[in-house]
Amino acid sequence: MKRRTVLLWLITAMMLLLCFGFIVACSQEGDPLLLSASNVTLEAYDDYQISVEEETDSPVVWSSSDESIATVSDDGLVSCLGETGDITITAQMGNKIGECALHIVDS
């Protein structure tokens, strides 16, 4: 009976540590990734190149917060699609994240 209790306590402690470690890992934000721009105003049909301003040792994943306003290519080229509004272009390289706020206005 004593062995069973000790074993149960060990299993419970291991599960708690595992869950706590997972929660901490998920709640951490990425390190900052320095981009060539952080805040840009563009016209509705403009293109604009954003680049990573540091050594890139792994692939950069680019994304747009609203692809109906502007898209971003795999190499950071932003293409405005004729709509106006405010969006964020995000670049992620490993655990590093960079953002550029775009304000798109009428041509």
Side-chain angles (χ1 to χ4, degrees):
M1 183 71 174
K2 200 172 202 176
R3 274 189 181 167
R4 190 175 196 183
T5 303
V6 169
L7 185 58
L8 261 165
W9 276 104
L10 284 174
I11 290 172
T12 302
M14 288 174 44
M15 293 300 289
L16 287 172
L17 287 173
L18 180 65
C19 290
F20 179 73
F22 179 75
I23 290 168
V24 168
C26 290
S27 67
Q28 292 177 343
E29 293 184 22
D31 295 327
L33 180 63
L34 183 60
L35 301 181
S36 59
S38 61
N39 195 338
V40 178
T41 298
L42 300 172
E43 291 186 355
Y45 290 98
D46 283 351
D47 290 334
Y48 186 79
Q49 181 68 51
I50 302 173
S51 58
V52 174
E53 294 290 305
E54 57 187 77
E55 192 79 23
T56 56
D57 55 349
S58 61
V60 177
V61 178
W62 296 90
S63 62
S64 169
S65 64
D66 189 340
E67 292 190 345
S68 69
I69 296 176
T71 59
V72 60
S73 70
D74 290 341
D75 62 351
L77 180 64
V78 176
S79 297
C80 299
L81 304 176
E83 299 295 322
T84 61
D86 296 318
I87 67 164
T88 302
I89 299 297
T90 303
Q92 182 167 359
M93 183 179 69
N95 69 335
K96 293 184 174 188
I97 297 171
E99 293 184 340
C100 178
L102 298 182
H103 180 65
I104 315 299
V105 297
D106 280 327
S107 303

